[in-house]
Amino acid sequence: MKKQENNKIEQALSLYNYDISDEEVREAVKKIIAEKVPENDTLEVKKFLMGSVELTTLKTTDSEESVMAFTERVNAFDEQYPELPHVATICVYPCFAKTVSETLEVDGVEIACVSGSFPSSQALIEVKVAETALAVKDGATEIDIVQSVGKFLSGDYETVADEISELKAVCGEKKMKVILETGCLKTAANIKKASILAMYAGADYIKTSTGKLEPAATPEAAYVMCQAIKEYYEKTGIQIGFKPAGGLNTPMDAVIMYTIVKEVLGEQWLTNQWFRMGTSRLANLLLSEVIGHDTKFF
């Protein structure tokens, strides 16, 4: 049975081309940034990007009190800036899902939890399943997991796919994002293969990074992942979301990601349903640009 499963995975992976050089990717990204980014560096795009932010707190020092205060800022934002889009998501550790769920008052803001032994993914599958099930029970509406990077790099694609599928089964109708940790994958070919594997195994979104390792969300990784999403969609008709996270430090970083999504995937992906950005610092910087003066609202 295992051999049959492995053959199915190899067959699915073999439908895609991994003969892509890092140099080609760098050149394609350089061209997009030079030719297309300036037209998207507008207030309208920055307003849209605010609505795609997954406001994230994943600190060792997080507490019920700090997470409650964090969530209250999202409630207050909706009252203070009713004309601006609210953030897409609040992203926390599973132990705070209940706190966010009980504090959040804004309709349409998702509650995401990192799960499955984030950020290393180095745990028994039973532990990952239990943590994910508890997060969903406590109010998580989306789950972010990390693919087993070590297993992927050693070529054990079967186990990587099995784990993703098993955790998606626990999520049920709730959306699941699979973090590839692209900084550890090194090459464009690896990033593409990991993207296809995650989507094949049941990911609703693919995400660049945990934000805990460098490099995190590079434009090159984003470009390769978007190309993979496009090809997967063309072959299967299944639309998969994209989430860059980690290393998004300036509004220009966000505009570059937006431009890559627009150029590779097109307008169909330019909603806060299909394009998200995981960050904590960027929300204040985008808001400052939109309202025309510095603010540290969040």
Side-chain angles (χ1 to χ4, degrees):
M1 184 62 189
K2 278 284 183 196
K3 192 159 191 258
Q4 195 180 348
E5 263 305 300
N6 214 14
N7 287 346
K8 268 173 67 183
I9 291 163
E10 280 169 18
Q11 201 177 347
L13 288 174
S14 73
L15 298 173
Y16 299 85
N17 171 35
Y18 307 102
D19 185 19
I20 43 175
S21 80
D22 296 341
E23 185 54 37
E24 280 169 13
V25 170
R26 272 193 297 276
E27 286 307 312
V29 168
K30 206 192 309 184
K31 191 170 189 294
I32 288 173
I33 290 173
E35 294 177 8
K36 301 293 185 179
V37 164
E39 71 196 42
N40 296 318
D41 187 11
T42 67
L43 282 183
E44 278 313 304
V45 166
K46 285 165 189 168
K47 278 184 196 173
F48 165 81
L49 289 167
M50 284 192 62
S52 286
V53 163
E54 298 208 347
L55 201 63
T56 303
T57 182
L58 298 171
K59 299 198 289 280
T60 304
T61 52
D62 287 342
S63 65
E64 278 193 26
E65 291 75 19
S66 72
V67 170
M68 195 179 292
F70 190 72
T71 308
E72 289 286 15
R73 298 311 293 154
V74 174
N75 294 340
F77 179 86
D78 207 45
E79 289 167 24
Q80 196 163 326
Y81 298 101
E83 74 288 0
L84 294 178
H86 55 64
V87 297
T89 314
I90 295 174
C91 183
V92 294
Y93 281 112
C95 50
F96 298 116
K98 198 164 191 287
T99 304
V100 177
S101 180
E102 289 174 350
T103 309
L104 184 62
E105 293 165 3
V106 185
D107 288 340
V109 176
E110 303 290 346
I111 302 167
C113 284
V114 294
S115 183
S117 197
F118 176 94
S120 70
S121 198
Q122 298 287 18
L124 298 166
I125 186 62
E126 293 83 355
V127 173
K128 296 181 185 184
V129 164
E131 185 179 35
T132 303
L134 289 166
V136 170
K137 179 182 79 67
D138 280 352
T141 60
E142 297 182 350
I143 293 291
D144 291 27
I145 65 160
V146 184
Q147 73 156 348
S148 290
V149 180
K151 291 185 176 73
F152 176 85
L153 290 172
S154 60
D156 187 2
Y157 304 140
E158 184 189 359
T159 302
V160 175
D162 283 351
E163 286 191 356
I164 292 168
S165 297
E166 195 165 341
L167 291 169
K168 177 55 190 167
V170 176
C171 294
E173 291 302 303
K174 307 282 190 272
K175 293 281 193 286
M176 186 178 79
K177 307 184 199 94
V178 177
I179 302 165
L180 307 182
E181 202 65 288
T182 51
C184 297
L185 301 182
K186 307 295 185 196
T187 67
N190 271 347
I191 292 169
K192 185 165 182 187
K193 189 171 277 189
S195 299
I196 299 296
L197 189 62
M199 292 187 285
Y200 169 80
D204 297 295
Y205 291 77
I206 51 175
K207 175 176 167 182
T208 55
S209 335
T210 59
K212 303 295 184 187
L213 295 172
E214 294 296 333
T218 65
E220 290 77 16
Y223 178 83
V224 174
M225 289 169 71
C226 288
Q227 288 284 4
I229 289 170
K230 182 183 181 180
E231 286 180 43
Y232 187 78
Y233 180 67
E234 285 166 354
K235 282 187 169 54
T236 66
I238 299 167
Q239 188 169 359
I240 303 293
F242 172 61
K243 178 181 172 183
L248 300 174
N249 297 319
T250 67
M252 184 48 70
D253 292 337
V255 171
I256 288 169
M257 290 297 170
Y258 172 95
T259 305
I260 289 168
V261 171
K262 184 179 178 183
E263 292 305 312
V264 178
L265 292 169
E267 300 282 344
Q268 193 178 335
W269 267 263
L270 292 178
T271 74
N272 77 350
Q273 167 76 33
W274 299 108
F275 174 51
R276 301 278 184 75
M277 298 183 300
T279 182
S280 42
R281 61 180 75 86
L282 196 54
N284 283 324
L285 295 173
L286 284 168
L287 180 58
S288 297
E289 293 216 359
V290 168
I291 64 175
H293 60 82
D294 282 353
T295 182
K296 297 233 175 355
F297 187 90
F298 292 107

